[in-house]
Amino acid sequence: MAFLEVNKLNKYYPIGDDEKFHALKDIDLSFEKGELVSIIGESGSGKSTLMNLFGGLDSQFTGDIVVNGENIGKYSEQEMVQYHKERVGFVFQSFNLVSHLSILDNVTLAMTLSNVDKETRINRAKEILQQLGLKDQLNKKPNQLSGGQKQRVAIARALVNDPDIIIADEPTGALDSETSNQVLDIIQKIAENGKLVILVTHSELVAGRSSRVVTIADGEIIDNKYTGPIKEVDSDFKMRELDNKQTNKNLSFFSAIRMAFLNMKEKLGRNLLIALGGSIGIMSIVLMLSLGKGVNDYLTDIMNENVNPLVVQVKMTEETETEAAKKEREEEEAAQEDEMNADVPAFPGGDATADENLGPDFQGPPGTQNDLYFEEENIEELEAIDHVEEITEGFTAFSFTSNAIEYEDESYTYMNFGTISPDMTPANLMFGEMPQENEILITEGLATSIVDEASEMIGQEVLVKVEVEGETLEGAYVVSGIYNPGDAVGPTGFFDSVFMTMETFEALAEESDQSIDANVIYLTSESEAFTIDIKNQVKELGYGGSSADILIDVFGQLLDIFTYILTGVAAISLLVSAIMILTVLYISVVERTREIGVIKAIGGRKKDIRRIFVSESFLIGLFSGVLGVAIAYGLTIVGNIIVERTFDATVLHITPLYAGAGILISTIISVLAGLLPANKAAKLDPVEALRRGD
């Protein structure tokens, strides 16, 4: 059996709904290795169609094409890919070199697609290029070579994988006569080395160099004659067979990245503009996220500035209230309501009490009013929280009208009453000392409402009135210190306040035959590192937090909404950049149609083509993301310098998470935008791609 045998080969092209053009008609041919065959015929005779079928570029035919005993018409896609890599090499009339690759890279392209190791493919390519007289041209680009040199590079590329068949389409069509003879000398030597060389040509000169001439007309073989053995030619070309052919290997991810990078360098200006456009969106998103975090951190720092970082404030909620306590509270509230409705006259226009006119759910400022008390089991539950070092019981009461201090026959109202907590330290004092038994601490605002200088109240005795559960408790106490709440959040910072120790307050209650239970608990953490965990566990158990915690959560939610809205607006620019990438890659597919055809002809899979174009979009997205983060970082430095000089604060906080997310988002969007053009490139028919590229 001949090495290449064709039996009853027919090829049809559809030209209408039900019409077909019969391009090849019952072709029967056979060829052996070592032959130099010229297929000649007029334009449209079918010779190029026959070449495409021999080379496996076109698999739509009837009949048999048998190569070394295997019918390539029955090949799977993967088997056809291996056929292109191992069995056949192409030499084209217009050379079809990849313009952005060096001569060495053009020749090694076929081996790169086979994932041959770098050292092997470079040594192999250098060896063949040296044999073809191109050892000094390795790092040049195709546009720096003459026509003859380009054709030699094309021959080297066809030979690098040591194929059994070389198919050359008008190999001298673009060359002068002297260069044509030099190229034909090389082709003859290739045949002498045992390759089957098939030339498709119009040239009588080329046909005269062949050992056999097949003439085709109107899709039929009209002549098939042997012209004798290949004549000896004066050429130094010698070709060494490849020691180990690579099989069942494909283009690696890193090779695809390198090919994409080389193409991007060729269109550097255009790709930089695209990356810059994409980076604007990433920069905007990172800046918005950084602004949101910076403002949130700034507000949190202000709120926590005068709060002991080891102390967690806990308040009861209806969720954590015991059933017995809840029932008792509801009964007391019902009794108080009945008493108030009976004794208090109605307001004009209705019969509601003063408190009811403030609204049925009115509880004062956030976190200031708490009528729920801790039971023993609540305290035990809080004690069991990990890393709690100490528990301190406390009491707070808020009133708009009933709480007052009397001094020198004058009454001065204050709204917030509280017991001393662990986060109140001597560092918070403006004057005086922390209160001991029968002493109180008052805020600066309350002190200056009584006297001109706050310090004058130190050591003065005052009558303190505080409303607890509808009853006013009174007691005489000495002012031991003036408290400065600073920027503290909650009733302590917003309102005039009075503080005493829990022991002093319990003694005051006993004088009025009242029993006082704690309505606030302070948990002291073993370390600042555990404070957040303790707060989270308190929330999980259903307890409430401090006023500062509540406001921090509210501000945080508002800032999150604000940040997300601005980030969404900034993300519109990402959509624009995705459209730009999509458009540019579509243009790239059109510009590189010939390259795609060549890659498929030398063994590139659809997946390889797709991988190359997706890799290009990946690199664009990656560079856009890095550039966007870099610009955002620079603007953050400048912005924080300006804000710090103006407001003594920094409000732009870029975190590694934001930077990484920006780069990742940019890369993902770019890759997604590149999928459509990559699929379009992968689906191109190699014959059409080569034809349109010419």
Side-chain angles (χ1 to χ4, degrees):
M1 179 180 287
F3 180 74
L4 171 59
E5 188 172 352
V6 177
N7 298 313
K8 300 297 181 183
L9 180 63
N10 288 273
K11 172 65 182 178
Y12 298 88
Y13 289 107
I15 57 175
D17 293 338
D18 298 316
E19 295 184 59
K20 294 181 180 179
F21 172 68
H22 199 173
L24 295 178
K25 306 169 185 176
D26 292 327
I27 303 295
D28 291 313
L29 288 170
S30 62
F31 307 101
E32 295 289 352
K33 283 187 176 182
E35 285 194 82
L36 178 55
V37 182
S38 287
I39 299 178
I40 63 173
E42 299 296 328
S43 296
S45 61
K47 59 185 185 298
S48 294
T49 300
L50 192 59
M51 176 197 73
N52 293 333
L53 294 176
F54 287 165
L57 299 179
D58 186 350
S59 57
Q60 302 300 315
F61 60 87
T62 62
D64 297 320
I65 301 177
V66 180
V67 178
N68 198 29
E70 296 181 353
N71 189 344
I72 68 171
K74 297 180 180 179
Y75 275 177
S76 65
E77 182 178 349
Q78 182 58 40
E79 288 172 329
M80 186 59 76
V81 166
Q82 290 303 124
Y83 176 72
H84 289 148
K85 289 179 179 178
E86 300 173 13
R87 293 289 188 184
V88 64
F90 288 92
V91 180
F92 302 99
Q93 176 182 358
S94 52
F95 321 125
N96 285 344
L97 302 179
V98 181
S99 61
H100 61 268
L101 297 181
S102 68
I103 300 310
L104 184 62
D105 285 334
N106 265 281
V107 175
T108 59
L109 183 57
M111 299 186 86
T112 300
L113 294 172
S114 296
N115 200 23
V116 177
D117 66 271
K118 183 177 180 181
E119 182 180 359
T120 300
R121 66 175 184 256
I122 288 178
N123 289 339
R124 173 69 174 177
K126 284 182 176 180
E127 179 184 346
I128 294 177
L129 286 168
Q130 183 174 0
Q131 287 292 320
L132 292 170
L134 296 171
K135 66 177 181 179
D136 298 326
Q137 316 296 331
L138 302 181
N139 297 315
K140 290 184 178 180
K141 296 291 181 65
N143 61 5
Q144 297 175 290
L145 302 183
S146 66
Q149 289 174 322
K150 289 179 183 178
Q151 195 61 289
R152 292 186 185 202
V153 175
I155 292 171
R157 181 181 61 194
L159 293 173
V160 73
N161 265 347
D162 193 19
D164 298 308
I165 304 169
I166 299 294
I167 298 176
D169 183 12
E170 298 286 0
T172 62
L175 307 176
D176 59 53
S177 59
E178 181 180 353
T179 306
S180 294
N181 280 316
Q182 293 173 355
V183 169
L184 287 173
D185 287 347
I186 295 171
I187 289 175
Q188 283 187 229
K189 281 293 185 181
I190 293 171
E192 287 179 12
N193 277 269
K195 306 296 182 186
L196 169 58
V197 180
I198 301 175
L199 308 177
V200 176
T201 183
H202 290 92
S203 171
E204 293 294 335
L205 172 63
V206 174
R209 292 288 199 101
S210 304
S211 62
R212 181 176 170 189
V213 177
V214 176
T215 305
I216 186 171
D218 296 327
E220 296 180 289
I221 303 300
I222 60 173
D223 193 16
N224 182 4
K225 63 181 179 181
Y226 292 89
T227 58
I230 302 173
K231 297 177 182 179
E232 292 288 335
V233 293
D234 184 17
S235 174
D236 296 330
F237 176 74
K238 296 179 182 179
M239 187 180 67
R240 183 178 63 83
E241 292 185 357
L242 193 61
D243 295 330
N244 296 302
K245 290 191 178 183
Q246 301 292 324
T247 58
N248 298 321
K249 289 189 176 182
N250 299 301
L251 180 70
S252 70
F253 172 76
F254 293 106
S255 295
I257 290 286
R258 180 177 180 273
M259 292 178 68
F261 180 73
L262 291 173
N263 181 68
M264 288 180 65
K265 282 178 61 180
E266 185 76 6
K267 302 290 190 299
L268 184 60
R270 183 174 73 185
N271 288 313
L272 282 176
L273 288 175
I274 297 169
L276 180 61
S279 69
I280 293 173
I282 295 301
M283 174 201 69
S284 303
I285 288 176
V286 172
L287 281 178
M288 290 304 101
L289 291 173
S290 301
L291 177 62
K293 177 172 176 54
V295 173
N296 198 10
D297 290 346
Y298 174 70
L299 291 175
T300 302
D301 289 343
I302 290 179
M303 292 175 179
N304 293 331
E305 197 172 47
N306 293 285
V307 177
N308 189 332
L310 295 177
V311 177
V312 177
Q313 187 180 124
V314 184
K315 291 187 177 181
M316 287 290 293
T317 64
E318 291 188 7
E319 181 182 347
T320 56
E321 192 177 17
T322 63
E323 289 299 324
K326 183 181 294 185
K327 184 177 180 181
E328 182 180 350
R329 175 177 57 82
E330 290 173 349
E331 290 175 351
E332 289 178 356
E333 289 175 352
Q336 289 176 3
E337 186 176 351
D338 291 342
E339 183 179 348
M340 291 175 68
N341 288 337
D343 297 339
V344 179
F347 275 70
D351 58 356
T353 65
D355 286 342
E356 288 170 336
N357 273 276
L358 293 173
D361 299 322
F362 180 75
Q363 292 289 321
T368 63
Q369 195 77 3
N370 192 1
D371 294 330
L372 305 181
Y373 301 96
F374 285 87
E375 300 287 327
E376 187 63 32
E377 60 184 83
N378 299 122
I379 296 174
E380 291 175 357
E381 187 175 41
L382 293 171
E383 284 179 334
I385 293 177
D386 295 336
H387 307 297
V388 171
E389 185 174 65
E390 182 182 358
I391 283 188
T392 303
E393 298 182 16
F395 189 91
T396 63
F398 187 91
S399 174
F400 280 103
T401 57
S402 300
N403 293 347
I405 282 182
E406 291 186 4
Y407 176 70
E408 295 183 349
D409 299 326
E410 293 288 336
S411 180
Y412 304 91
T413 60
Y414 67 94
M415 293 186 182
N416 183 62
F417 171 82
T419 58
I420 299 298
S421 64
D423 57 357
M424 298 174 67
T425 66
N428 302 115
L429 294 178
M430 290 185 66
F431 308 103
E433 299 177 349
M434 297 295 290
Q436 301 299 320
E437 184 179 357
N438 294 324
E439 293 181 338
I440 63 169
L441 194 68
I442 64 175
T443 53
E444 180 187 11
L446 178 58
T448 55
S449 70
I450 301 173
V451 294
D452 292 334
E453 295 292 334
S455 59
E456 296 177 7
M457 288 302 298
I458 301 297
Q460 301 298 320
E461 184 177 87
V462 296
L463 181 67
V464 176
K465 296 181 179 181
V466 55
E467 183 182 14
V468 178
E469 295 186 355
E471 182 177 344
T472 300
L473 308 182
E474 297 182 6
Y477 301 97
V478 174
V479 177
S480 68
I482 306 300
Y483 181 69
N484 178 20
D487 296 319
V489 177
T492 302
F494 291 149
F495 308 108
D496 293 337
S497 303
V498 172
F499 302 96
M500 63 177 64
T501 64
M502 187 64 174
E503 292 75 15
T504 299
F505 179 60
E506 287 174 340
L508 174 63
E510 284 181 10
E511 292 176 5
S512 300
D513 296 326
Q514 280 200 15
S515 176
I516 295 298
D517 293 318
N519 64 0
V520 62
I521 293 289
Y522 301 96
L523 306 180
T524 303
S525 172
E526 294 175 359
S527 167
E528 188 175 344
F530 301 126
T531 304
I532 298 298
D533 289 337
I534 292 173
K535 285 185 177 181
N536 291 335
Q537 291 184 63
V538 166
K539 286 183 180 180
E540 288 175 4
L541 291 172
Y543 293 95
S546 67
S547 303
D549 290 335
I550 293 172
L551 290 175
I552 286 173
D553 289 341
V554 171
F555 280 127
Q557 291 174 5
L558 291 175
L559 282 171
D560 285 344
I561 294 172
F562 171 75
T563 302
Y564 294 150
I565 290 173
L566 290 181
T567 302
V569 173
I572 294 174
S573 60
L574 284 182
L575 178 62
V576 175
S577 67
I579 294 173
M580 284 195 306
I581 293 169
L582 182 70
T583 303
V584 168
L585 286 180
Y586 264 120
I587 294 172
S588 183
V589 171
V590 175
E591 291 175 340
R592 296 161 65 187
T593 300
R594 179 185 298 177
E595 177 188 341
I596 295 167
V598 170
I599 291 175
K600 287 198 169 186
I602 61 177
R605 303 170 299 165
K606 290 180 180 179
K607 186 182 293 185
D608 296 332
I609 304 293
R610 191 181 298 113
R611 183 173 289 174
I612 292 170
F613 279 87
V614 169
S615 296
E616 191 168 330
S617 63
F618 167 80
L619 290 175
I620 291 174
L622 179 64
F623 185 69
S624 295
V626 172
L627 182 61
V629 169
I631 295 173
Y633 184 75
L635 291 176
T636 296
I637 294 174
V638 175
N640 280 334
I641 291 173
I642 295 172
V643 174
E644 191 165 12
R645 288 178 178 175
T646 307
F647 302 104
D648 194 27
T650 58
V651 293
L652 290 169
H653 293 177
I654 287 185
T655 67
L657 176 63
Y658 294 159
I663 294 172
L664 181 63
I665 290 170
S666 175
T667 304
I668 291 174
I669 288 177
S670 183
V671 168
L672 291 176
L675 287 177
L676 282 176
N679 284 327
K680 178 179 175 62
K683 292 177 181 178
L684 283 177
D685 179 80
V687 176
E688 288 297 318
L690 291 168
R691 183 181 297 132
R692 280 191 285 168
D694 289 336

